Amino acid sequence: MTTAWTRMTGWMQSCTHGRRILLWSGLALVGLLGLYVGYLWAVVALPKGEERPPVLLFASPFLLKPGLSVEGSRLEERLARLGYHPVGGEPSGPGEYRITEEAVDLYVHDDPDRFVRGTPVRLALENGRISQVLSIPLGEPIPPVPLEPPLLGGLRGASRQVKQWVPLTAMPRALIDAVLATEDRRYYQHLGIDPQAIARALWANLRSGEVVQGGSTITQQLAKNLFYTRERTALRKIKEALAALMLELKYGKDEILESYLNEIYLGQVESVSIYGVGEAARWYFGKSVQDLTLAEAALLAGMIKAPNGYSPIKNPTMAKERRDLVLTRLREEDKLSAPEHEAAARQPIHVVPTPVTVTDAPYFVDFLISQASDSAGEPFPPGVKIVTTLDHVMQRLAEEALERGLAQLEAAHPFLKQAHVPLQGALVALDPKTGAILAMVGGRNYRFSQFNRAVQARRQPGSLFKPLVYLVAFEAGSVGGSPLTSASLIADEPLSLPAAHAEWTPHNYDRQFRGPVTVRTALEQSLNVPAVRVAHAVGVLPIIQLARRLGIHSPLEPNLSLALGTSEVSLLEITSAFGALAQQGWFVSPTPIQTVTASDGQSLWPGVPERRQAVSPAAAYIMTSLLKGVVERGTAVMAKRAGITVPVAGKTSTTDSTHDAWFVGYTPDLAIGVWVGFDDASELRLTGAQAALPIWADFVRQILPPDSPDFPVPGGIVTRKLDPKTGQLATSRCPESIEEVFIEGTEPTEYCALHGEGFWDRIKRAFRF
């Protein structure tokens, strides 16, 4: 009896002890849960688009002005990029336009950033060119009208993306209805967790024997995306549910839905992850979310379940099936009428994919950021709007011309594809008057290589340096006791000069010598020996000083081989140096930025590029005349054969062992440089005329109007007829003569000694006709 009592007492004591353990464990669990709930209350917060808006980058606004060619300026392409659309009648609202033979009627968009209100304007046309800009309401001439600058892309911290926050009020109702019908029908009835949806999902999964349906609400999905990893465990589900409850307690339903639609993952386009319906609308359909059609809105809503599985780019068939299912659900919930449902279901999947770069002109954007950081010393603050100098049409044409040209070279010369690295190239286009960088292509494919060969690469410019040598001589006034002119004779004969360890004997590219040649012939034929002779006469230091005035900051070796371009420079440097010749010797430093405006309207950019007279107008014009001869008769004559009929000046270059091929050419309004080569400096085995010039000509042919003006003649320039063999004044006995330009006071005064003077020549000389 005693033993039994003892056992019962012990059992009761052990039960009491167990209950205590359970009680204390429960209390501890509740305490931990309370602490976690308190932690969630403190840390769970919705992202707000206005807290850190992206830095927005815009291309240059395009000016509609008299003289502009509608076809040549690609006006319709520019309008399409800005969301304008053609109409049959007179434009009645912003974004509409009509083109006839007599005029372009255009209803300009509002541009609040520049305090421009949308208004209808008429561009009167004569022979396809704008003759007058008129206000349609007033019927009176008005100043040139700038189109709003097109968006290039954006920056958010280190990420190159726009991802502009779209308010819920700006989203189309069809999109909101489609998402709710697909992802969370009872969104506005539950508190973040929907027991009905959980029960429905459990029953569907049990019936199928696998997971076919989820029970997560929109709030739970948002909590998972914002605060947790993608691991699938019961504990994470509990955390997710608690976080959803916290969100529902802290925020309104519309705030949660707005965050969800801006943060939801909507697929991958190659290297780019797409988040938010705003970005998805741009990437898949090339439009803003406000402009989505019913069919497009349903497609995006359907993608949420499996973004890449239902991608209209990767799986258009499955994307259509999923879209049609969403449309059916909208019809079942009376969100659509029967005709609306049928019309949307008939729509084909039509994707307008954005080019696979996070921003347009990525090499240009990289350069812009580095320039801005160097100038300001710190990153741009959030919300800044940067209007760049980039012409987006010219940029597209430059990218296409470079890729097309490199592909054609590889097809014509298969050995180029056998190198260890791919053939590369770069192109830069500048406005020499303002220094504006209009186009910049730093390589074939930014996704594979972000190295900007237009700026970061330093390569030997070769013969591109020869014009600098002759410019120094023209400005020197006297070389060897007499002025050097374009008609001066220089010995193209064997030459030996002392060097550091042995004599240096420069030679021409073809290893031939031609005897006495004029400066014009020496430059047109890109002869090395005459250039070295002139450099030896004027000295290396003045050449370096001129290069610095022309904006070349790369290290330059102070030896005579500098005349042949042995010191490395960038494509941007040498192109902007040639640009100074286009502007009568005025150098303007290249810039990628027009304006930088803070969110409060304050200007954050001085916008004043460096500007100086680097070369006299007369010397610059003489060099331009010589470089026009390079294109008309010299090493760049292929430009004419490629269809370049307008006045251009330029210079080819091929470095030793053909590592690099260059061509830089210019007009009064443009300076354009092209480089072709390998990143590892493998032999190209092609000249500048063969590799770089065709790319340059292809690009220029598409952007230069056929009536481009010639270079203006500055004061202090005189023209004389010469005998091409002697460089002396031509006489009536000379079998041929050429016109040559001179800086006034340097023109020859002696008549041709080889062919002699005729009677009339003696009369003219006697009376100084």
Side-chain angles (χ1 to χ4, degrees):
M1 185 75 175
T2 305
T3 305
W5 176 255
T6 304
R7 287 176 179 172
M8 184 175 290
T9 304
W11 178 78
M12 292 175 64
Q13 289 175 343
S14 65
C15 285
T16 304
H17 181 67
R19 282 198 298 271
R20 284 201 198 100
I21 292 173
L22 285 173
L23 177 62
W24 285 108
S25 297
L27 289 172
L29 195 60
V30 170
L32 288 173
L33 184 61
L35 287 172
Y36 186 66
V37 169
Y39 165 76
L40 285 178
W41 183 264
V43 301
V44 167
L46 289 180
K48 294 290 185 181
E50 65 273 13
E51 288 177 356
R52 191 169 179 79
V55 172
L56 296 180
L57 305 173
F58 296 88
S60 179
F62 188 72
L63 195 63
L64 303 175
K65 59 184 179 179
L68 186 75
S69 166
V70 171
E71 183 179 355
S73 66
R74 299 175 183 262
L75 180 59
E76 288 192 80
E77 178 182 341
R78 295 179 187 277
L79 293 174
R81 170 67 182 263
L82 294 170
Y84 288 81
H85 58 278
V87 294
E90 186 172 315
S92 58
E96 296 181 348
Y97 73 92
R98 176 182 63 178
I99 297 181
T100 65
E101 289 186 5
E102 294 78 28
V104 177
D105 291 338
L106 172 70
Y107 205 120
V108 180
H109 282 141
D110 289 334
D111 188 1
D113 290 331
R114 292 184 296 142
F115 306 102
V116 175
R117 293 192 61 183
T119 183
V121 298
R122 173 163 293 159
L123 311 175
L125 300 180
E126 288 184 9
N127 299 320
R129 291 185 175 276
I130 298 175
S131 60
Q132 207 172 22
V133 181
L134 303 165
S135 166
I136 290 179
L138 301 176
E140 298 176 352
I142 57 175
V145 174
L147 293 174
E148 65 271 25
L151 182 66
L152 288 177
L155 311 171
R156 191 186 293 273
S159 175
R160 304 293 172 83
Q161 59 177 298
V162 179
K163 198 185 175 189
Q164 287 181 282
W165 193 270
V166 182
L168 190 66
T169 53
M171 296 184 193
R173 189 69 233 179
L175 176 63
I176 296 170
D177 288 342
V179 171
L180 294 178
T182 309
E183 294 299 315
D184 195 346
R185 297 181 186 183
R186 287 175 20 87
Y187 174 70
Y188 281 98
Q189 282 76 53
H190 62 65
L191 291 174
I193 302 170
D194 187 359
Q196 289 187 26
I198 294 171
R200 188 170 58 246
L202 283 172
W203 178 242
N205 295 338
L206 284 171
R207 284 172 54 191
S208 66
E210 59 181 340
V211 178
V212 295
Q213 188 173 330
S216 294
T217 65
I218 277 177
T219 315
Q220 285 176 278
Q221 291 180 50
L222 179 61
K224 176 186 68 176
N225 293 338
L226 291 179
F227 312 123
Y228 300 109
T229 64
R230 294 190 173 274
E231 65 172 343
R232 294 184 136 186
T233 64
L235 179 60
R236 199 218 67 189
K237 277 289 185 184
I238 294 170
K239 290 180 177 179
E240 179 187 300
L242 289 172
L245 287 170
M246 289 301 103
L247 286 174
E248 293 274 351
L249 289 171
K250 292 182 72 172
Y251 300 100
K253 284 286 189 180
D254 286 352
E255 290 178 287
I256 294 170
L257 184 57
E258 181 178 302
S259 291
Y260 175 79
L261 292 171
N262 277 284
E263 295 290 342
I264 191 67
Y265 174 65
L266 284 167
Q268 191 91 4
V269 180
E270 295 198 20
S271 62
V272 179
S273 298
I274 300 168
Y275 289 90
V277 293
E279 284 295 278
R282 184 172 77 90
W283 279 96
Y284 293 120
F285 305 117
K287 61 175 65 174
S288 68
V289 69
Q290 294 94 329
D291 296 327
L292 288 175
T293 65
L294 170 60
E296 291 165 346
L299 190 148
L300 291 185
M303 288 178 65
I304 294 174
K305 181 180 179 181
N308 291 304
Y310 295 124
S311 166
I313 294 176
K314 298 176 182 177
N315 297 303
T317 302
M318 292 184 65
K320 185 178 187 305
E321 291 174 0
R322 179 68 176 168
R323 181 204 69 183
D324 292 347
L325 175 61
V326 174
L327 291 170
T328 300
R329 287 186 181 176
L330 288 170
R331 176 71 186 116
E332 291 170 350
E333 295 186 9
D334 265 344
K335 300 294 183 182
L336 296 181
S337 66
E340 287 174 328
H341 174 260
E342 291 171 6
R346 283 197 302 268
Q347 294 295 315
I349 299 295
H350 180 63
V351 179
V352 184
T354 299
V356 185
T357 53
V358 182
T359 56
D360 289 347
Y363 292 107
F364 173 84
V365 171
D366 282 353
F367 175 67
L368 180 152
I369 294 168
S370 67
Q371 287 288 98
S373 298
D374 290 345
S375 298
E378 58 184 13
F380 289 118
V384 160
K385 294 185 177 180
I386 303 173
V387 177
T388 73
T389 59
L390 194 83
D391 183 305
H392 70 91
V393 171
M394 203 176 288
Q395 175 69 23
R396 178 184 65 78
L397 295 173
E399 291 171 355
E400 292 174 356
L402 183 67
E403 176 52 38
R404 184 166 51 243
L406 295 178
Q408 288 172 351
L409 286 173
E410 289 173 332
H413 309 282
F415 65 85
L416 294 173
K417 299 190 75 171
Q418 297 169 5
H420 298 296
V421 294
L423 181 65
Q424 283 289 356
L427 186 153
V428 168
L430 305 171
D431 180 344
K433 296 185 293 297
T434 64
I437 299 174
L438 304 174
M440 176 182 283
V441 190
R444 293 185 82 161
N445 191 317
Y446 183 83
R447 189 159 59 88
F448 294 130
S449 172
Q450 291 79 51
F451 183 66
N452 190 341
R453 294 156 190 84
V455 178
Q456 294 171 293
R458 296 289 193 274
R459 306 298 285 256
Q460 291 185 351
S463 296
L464 293 179
F465 239 69
K466 290 173 184 172
L468 275 66
V469 174
Y470 292 114
L471 276 169
V472 169
F474 294 155
E475 300 241 273
S478 175
V479 178
S482 60
L484 189 82
T485 71
S486 50
S488 297
L489 292 174
I490 308 172
D492 180 24
E493 298 167 352
L495 175 67
S496 294
L497 295 167
H501 302 292
E503 285 195 334
W504 179 46
T505 55
H507 53 77
N508 296 320
Y509 181 77
D510 60 3
R511 297 186 178 272
Q512 301 295 315
F513 296 99
R514 293 158 180 78
V517 294
T518 63
V519 167
R520 180 174 291 279
T521 298
L523 200 54
E524 287 180 358
Q525 302 304 318
S526 199
L527 302 179
N528 292 340
V529 175
V532 173
R533 287 186 184 275
V534 173
H536 186 245
V538 299
V540 174
L541 183 58
I543 299 171
I544 294 175
Q545 291 171 339
L546 174 60
R548 299 297 183 226
R549 295 198 302 274
L550 289 170
I552 297 174
H553 302 295
S554 295
L556 301 175
E557 291 295 324
N559 56 56
L560 281 175
S561 67
L562 180 67
L564 305 183
T566 55
S567 290
E568 297 175 338
V569 301
S570 74
L571 176 63
L572 181 61
E573 284 179 316
I574 199 68
T575 304
S576 59
F578 274 66
L581 302 179
Q583 284 300 299
Q584 299 193 355
W586 278 98
F587 170 78
V588 184
S589 60
T591 179
I593 298 175
Q594 287 192 49
T595 62
V596 179
T597 309
S599 54
D600 61 1
Q602 179 186 357
S603 176
L604 302 178
W605 188 258
V608 182
E610 186 181 0
R611 181 181 175 87
R612 58 178 170 269
Q613 184 81 54
V615 183
S616 70
Y621 181 80
I622 297 296
M623 182 51 62
T624 292
S625 172
L626 294 173
L627 295 178
K628 283 175 67 178
V630 172
V631 176
E632 291 165 1
R633 297 174 296 276
T635 56
V637 71
M638 287 179 62
K640 293 294 182 183
R641 298 172 189 164
I644 305 300
T645 58
V646 299
V648 296
K651 184 73 186 75
T652 58
S653 176
T654 311
T655 57
D656 276 349
S657 301
T658 64
H659 295 302
D660 305 278
W662 305 75
F663 184 75
V664 179
Y666 59 93
T667 71
D669 301 314
L670 285 171
I672 301 162
V674 175
W675 167 87
V676 175
F678 290 102
D679 287 342
D680 64 357
S682 297
E683 283 191 34
L684 189 61
R685 290 153 56 183
L686 296 171
T687 65
Q690 293 170 313
L693 179 56
I695 295 171
W696 185 93
D698 182 17
F699 175 58
V700 167
R701 192 170 53 244
Q702 299 178 78
I703 63 172
L704 281 187
D707 56 353
S708 293
D710 203 346
F711 298 90
V713 183
I717 295 293
V718 296
T719 303
R720 295 289 184 268
K721 282 190 175 182
L722 306 180
D723 181 280
K725 288 192 176 355
T726 64
Q728 295 172 317
L729 294 172
T731 70
S732 56
R733 294 185 176 181
C734 294
E736 57 179 329
S737 65
I738 58 169
E739 281 200 342
E740 191 56 90
V741 290
F742 300 90
I743 298 174
E744 191 171 13
T746 67
E747 67 273 20
T749 56
E750 297 295 324
Y751 282 87
C752 178
L754 178 63
H755 300 105
E757 296 180 71
F759 174 75
W760 285 111
D761 300 315
R762 288 193 291 271
I763 294 294
K764 284 191 289 183
R765 182 156 58 88
F767 291 94
R768 298 186 182 275
F769 282 1

